[in-house]
């Protein structure tokens, strides 16, 4: 290997290591936000949880505002990737819709951490235009998957909805957010498990299909795959 090639290789490895370290910092930052809110996400708190020094965190993000914006982008990208994987996994549009509804509660990130993060971000977005923009982008991606699956299901004549696809996608995402807030705060004794069943029953009624069959058939398939 020539000296030039070796230097290029060293820079490449270093850049890759820096990217991994940055992602790790953002992973821990999202946990701090979920536990302590946006205002509680200080460099000192993040350093204590992650093990990275305050100086290291400042090297990557300079200011707390930049860290918060990057954390929202990180969680949005991670969620979008997972949503896309789940979307592609379904055998037909109806299965995709069921999986997307389930994922709204049971993703790779535990419910308390995932929705604790977004609840704090939603609250902060009210007074922060930059966070508002990031939240809007995230919700647009999430809603877009429902629009795609709903349109496919309508085209395949799997659904008989009374509402238009765009309206139904907006309604589903709004119900998901509302139920998540109730479950996170244990309002009406709500739990993530009850949230899943409520989402499935609500969606089935809006889809114009039998709720029990929608839940039972998909559950049996999931069990068979495990």
């Amino acid at each position: 290997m020539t000296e030039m090639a070796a230097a290029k290789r060293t820079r490449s490895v270093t850049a890759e290591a820096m990217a991994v370290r940055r992602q790790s910092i953002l992973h821990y930052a999202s946990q701090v936000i979920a536990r302590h809110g946006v205002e509680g996400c200080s460099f000192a708190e993040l350093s204590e949880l992650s093990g990275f020094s305050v100086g290291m965190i400042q090297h990557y993000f300079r200011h707390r505002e930049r860290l918060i914006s990057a954390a929202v982008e990180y969680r949005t990208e991670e969620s979008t990737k997972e949503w896309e994987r789940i979307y592609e996994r379904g055998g037909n549009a109806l299965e995709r819709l069921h999986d997307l509804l389930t994922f709204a509660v049971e993703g790779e990130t535990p419910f308390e951490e995932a929705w604790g993060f977004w609840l704090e971000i939603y609250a902060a977005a009210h007074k922060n235009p930059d966070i508002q923009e990031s939240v809007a982008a995230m919700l647009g991606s999430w809603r877009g998957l429902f629009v795609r699956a709903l349109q496919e299901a309508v085209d395949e004549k799997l659904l008989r909805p009374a509402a238009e696809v765009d309206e139904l996608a907006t309604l589903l995402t709004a119900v998901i957010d509302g139920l998540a807030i109730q479950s996170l705060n244990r309002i009406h004794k709500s739990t993530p498990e009850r949230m899943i069943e409520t989402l499935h029953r609500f969606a089935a009624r809006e889809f114009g299909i039998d709720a029990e069959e929608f839940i039972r058939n998909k559950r049996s398939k999931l069990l068979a795959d495990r």
Side-chain angles (χ1 to χ4, degrees), residues 7 22 24 34 45 58 107 126-127 157 159 164 182 189:
R22 184 178 188 277
S24 181
E45 190 70 36
Q58 289 176 328
H126 179 62
K127 296 182 179 179
K157 303 187 185 306
L159 306 182
E164 296 294 328
Q182 290 185 16
K189 298 182 180 179

Side-chain angles (χ1 to χ4, degrees), residues 100-169:
L100 288 171
L101 290 166
T102 303
F103 166 72
V105 187
E106 291 184 342
E108 291 180 358
T109 305
F111 178 83
E112 294 281 341
E113 180 183 332
W115 278 104
F117 174 84
W118 287 116
L119 180 59
E120 295 294 342
I121 292 299
Y122 284 175
H126 179 62
K127 296 182 179 179
N128 188 315
D130 292 334
I131 297 179
Q132 283 180 22
E133 187 175 332
S134 298
V135 168
M138 182 276 294
L139 289 174
S141 298
W142 181 221
R143 181 182 177 281
L145 289 179
F146 277 109
V147 170
R148 284 168 55 190
L150 285 166
Q151 191 59 61
E152 289 173 4
V154 169
D155 292 343
E156 296 170 15
K157 303 187 185 306
L158 297 173
L159 306 182
R160 298 180 296 277
E164 296 294 328
V165 164
D166 281 348
E167 181 182 348
L168 187 51

Side-chain angles (χ1 to χ4, degrees), residues 26-220:
L26 292 174
H27 169 75
Y28 285 110
S30 67
Q31 292 184 346
V32 174
I33 292 171
R35 298 175 188 178
H36 305 292
V38 170
E39 293 302 320
C41 186
S42 65
F43 284 175
E45 190 70 36
L46 177 55
S47 175
E48 183 175 347
L49 178 65
S50 67
F52 292 109
S53 68
V54 170
M56 175 69 71
I57 297 169
Q58 289 176 328
H59 171 74
Y60 280 92
F61 299 102
R62 301 295 181 187
H63 307 292
R64 195 177 69 89
E65 290 73 17
R66 186 178 297 181
L67 171 68
I68 300 301
S69 295
V72 175
E73 292 175 6
Y74 164 77
R75 288 300 293 265
T76 299
E77 290 173 4
E78 291 296 302
S79 296
T80 301
K81 290 176 185 177
E82 189 176 355
W83 297 340
E84 290 287 355
R85 288 195 299 270
I86 290 171
Y87 182 90
E88 296 300 329
R89 188 179 63 193
N92 60 42
L94 198 57
E95 289 185 1
R96 290 189 179 99
L97 286 165
H98 191 293
D99 286 347
L100 288 171
L101 290 166
T102 303
F103 166 72
V105 187
E106 291 184 342
E108 291 180 358
T109 305
F111 178 83
E112 294 281 341
E113 180 183 332
W115 278 104
F117 174 84
W118 287 116
L119 180 59
E120 295 294 342
I121 292 299
Y122 284 175
H126 179 62
K127 296 182 179 179
N128 188 315
D130 292 334
I131 297 179
Q132 283 180 22
E133 187 175 332
S134 298
V135 168
M138 182 276 294
L139 289 174
S141 298
W142 181 221
R143 181 182 177 281
L145 289 179
F146 277 109
V147 170
R148 284 168 55 190
L150 285 166
Q151 191 59 61
E152 289 173 4
V154 169
D155 292 343
E156 296 170 15
K157 303 187 185 306
L158 297 173
L159 306 182
R160 298 180 296 277
E164 296 294 328
V165 164
D166 281 348
E167 181 182 348
L168 187 51
T170 299
L171 186 59
L172 286 175
T173 52
V175 170
I176 288 168
D177 283 349
L179 288 176
I181 291 172
Q182 290 185 16
S183 296
L184 193 65
N185 292 305
R186 299 294 186 265
I187 297 173
H188 307 310
K189 298 182 180 179
S190 184
T191 64
E193 293 74 24
R194 289 185 63 183
M195 178 179 169
I196 291 175
E197 183 171 350
T198 300
L199 280 175
H200 289 162
R201 291 187 183 282
F202 172 81
R205 286 194 293 269
E206 292 297 318
F207 296 163
I209 61 177
D210 181 80
E212 295 300 332
E213 183 177 355
F214 179 56
I215 296 170
R216 182 176 62 251
N217 289 348
K218 185 59 181 179
R219 280 182 175 170
S220 63

Side-chain angles (χ1 to χ4, degrees), residues 7-18:
K8 184 177 180 181
R9 172 63 177 167
T10 300
R11 287 196 296 272
S12 175
V13 171
T14 301
E16 182 179 351
M18 289 176 65

